[in-house]
Amino acid sequence: MSQSQNKFIIGYSVVTLVGAGILGYLCFSAYSSYDEAQLKLKDGQTSLENLQKAPLYPNDGNVEAKRKQVDAFTAEVDKLHNSMVAYQTPLDNDTPADKVSEKLGEFKARLELTAKSRKIELPKDFSLGLSRYLTGAPLKEAAPQVNYLATSVNTLLTILVNNGVTKINEIQCPELPYEKDTTPPPAPVDPKKKKPATPPAAAPAKGSKASARTETVALDESKVLSRYKIHLQFTGAEKAVQECLNQIASLPEGGPFFAVNLMRIENESHQGPSKAFNITPSPVPPDAADPAASDNSALIDSKYIIGNEKISVYMDIDLLRFKDLEASSEAEAPPATK
């Protein structure tokens, strides 16, 4: 090896060592900066979480800003609620108890007639799930709500028979406590009269525990809406079932609000037909005047394997009724049921 080659190797080694040293220093500096930035980020996140969880500092500016936000949110909620109340049919508090049973009998007769004409099978002792009121009138206090429930169930079943389902397997409306409650409904309130303004509560002393944190009380659901339980099961072709579900979910103004808690859909038949299928075409008589008009039932060369069976649908439904918060003239509502 010549002297010039030795100098090149020595120089190259020195440059490589110096470059490696510089690169190591830069990597170490970058790693240190990364650790420092990550530590600052964690400290910032911790500080932000602590600030978000901390109670509002009770100075006048913060209290006023929070009050405005709460008032704006409450106004939007009340606006939405009032629009729902205006959308539904008003509750008829003057409905006589005996008229409810009479109307229920009319609904029953009309649905039975329509179902018979369309060959729709109804459950034994069909009574819209309210058989207890076919033989006796409801309590006077419960009559308006039972009337609303019967009318809504009639709307629901009319959708089914009009769309040609094959069978209504079951319809049940469990008895709720309001049907046994004899407490008279509250006196009607004239909606034109404004409610007296509620005096504002005295502000807590500045710096006190009450001013730093207040308990949030959830509003009882029964003050906002009423729930009426409906259990429904029916069977039909896929298209009929789709039409029924679409109409139940998109009733026009004045129609009832149906909230589906649970829905189970399954094929009426759990086993498909046999795949074996033999074709045995029948010969056309040679003296037939019109061969095309002969019986070709045996010439069928295809068979449904899936897709032609009926569908069975079970639904656990809540019929919802929103209360008028401004001037409620409704009877005592049934308790919310889950």
Side-chain angles (χ1 to χ4, degrees):
M1 183 179 293
S2 64
Q3 186 176 4
S4 60
Q5 289 177 331
N6 288 335
K7 289 181 180 180
F8 173 78
I9 293 174
I10 293 172
Y12 180 79
S13 301
V14 170
V15 172
T16 301
L17 290 174
V18 172
I22 295 174
L23 181 62
Y25 173 76
L26 293 176
C27 290
F28 178 77
S29 300
Y31 185 76
S32 299
S33 301
Y34 170 76
D35 283 345
E36 183 179 356
Q38 190 177 37
L39 183 61
K40 288 183 179 180
L41 176 62
K42 290 183 178 179
D43 290 341
Q45 289 176 337
T46 302
S47 300
L48 177 61
E49 291 177 358
N50 291 336
L51 288 173
Q52 291 175 337
K53 294 178 181 178
L56 187 67
Y57 186 75
N59 61 35
D60 294 340
N62 288 341
V63 172
E64 180 64 18
K66 183 175 182 180
R67 185 190 65 78
K68 289 182 178 179
Q69 291 180 356
V70 171
D71 289 347
F73 178 79
T74 303
E76 288 299 319
V77 172
D78 289 345
K79 181 180 178 181
L80 174 61
H81 183 91
N82 290 332
S83 66
M84 301 296 281
V85 172
Y87 193 86
Q88 65 191 5
T89 302
L91 197 67
D92 186 2
N93 288 288
D94 298 326
T95 303
D98 57 341
K99 290 294 183 182
V100 175
S101 298
E102 182 180 336
K103 183 182 292 186
L104 182 61
E106 294 175 357
F107 291 154
K108 177 180 183 299
R110 190 179 303 121
L111 287 169
E112 286 178 335
L113 183 61
T114 305
K116 183 178 180 180
S117 66
R118 302 189 179 188
K119 298 181 180 180
I120 299 173
E121 185 179 350
L122 297 178
K124 186 179 180 180
D125 301 327
F126 175 68
S127 57
L128 285 81
L130 295 166
S131 58
R132 54 190 178 273
Y133 297 124
L134 282 176
T135 56
L139 294 174
K140 179 181 178 182
E141 295 78 11
Q145 295 180 79
V146 174
N147 177 64
Y148 180 73
L149 175 59
T151 304
S152 300
V153 172
N154 177 65
T155 300
L156 181 63
L157 296 180
T158 300
I159 291 175
L160 300 185
V161 297
N162 285 346
N163 284 287
V165 299
T166 306
K167 179 180 180 181
I168 298 178
N169 304 69
E170 179 187 15
I171 176 69
Q172 293 293 334
C173 301
E175 188 175 19
L176 296 178
Y178 78 95
E179 299 180 50
K180 302 177 182 179
D181 189 4
T182 58
T183 304
V189 180
D190 187 352
K192 296 181 180 179
K193 294 183 179 180
K194 295 184 178 180
K195 295 192 298 185
T198 305
K206 186 175 181 179
S208 66
K209 292 183 179 180
S211 64
R213 184 184 295 275
T214 57
E215 292 290 337
T216 301
V217 181
L219 181 64
D220 186 0
E221 184 188 77
S222 63
K223 297 181 182 297
V224 179
L225 58 85
S226 302
R227 292 180 183 267
Y228 308 84
K229 301 296 295 183
I230 301 174
H231 301 301
L232 172 66
Q233 184 177 0
F234 63 95
T235 303
E238 180 183 357
K239 183 177 181 180
V241 169
Q242 288 181 346
E243 289 296 327
C244 290
L245 297 180
N246 288 337
Q247 291 183 27
I248 291 172
S250 57
L251 288 169
E253 183 174 353
F257 291 101
F258 292 118
V260 180
N261 295 321
L262 172 67
M263 182 168 63
R264 184 175 66 248
I265 300 178
E266 59 184 14
N267 286 339
E268 184 182 28
S269 176
H270 294 268
Q271 293 182 350
S274 173
K275 295 181 181 179
F277 183 59
N278 297 323
I279 303 176
T280 55
S282 59
V284 179
D287 56 346
D290 185 5
S294 62
D295 183 10
N296 292 329
S297 59
L299 297 178
I300 298 174
D301 60 354
S302 63
K303 183 178 181 180
Y304 277 103
I305 301 299
I306 59 174
N308 198 35
E309 65 273 16
K310 299 295 188 296
I311 298 175
S312 180
V313 181
Y314 170 78
M315 302 176 72
D316 179 356
I317 302 173
D318 276 352
L319 168 63
L320 302 182
R321 176 159 190 85
F322 297 90
K323 298 184 179 181
D324 189 346
L325 300 179
E326 295 296 329
S328 177
S329 59
E330 298 187 6
E332 187 70 18
T337 55
K338 298 290 184 183

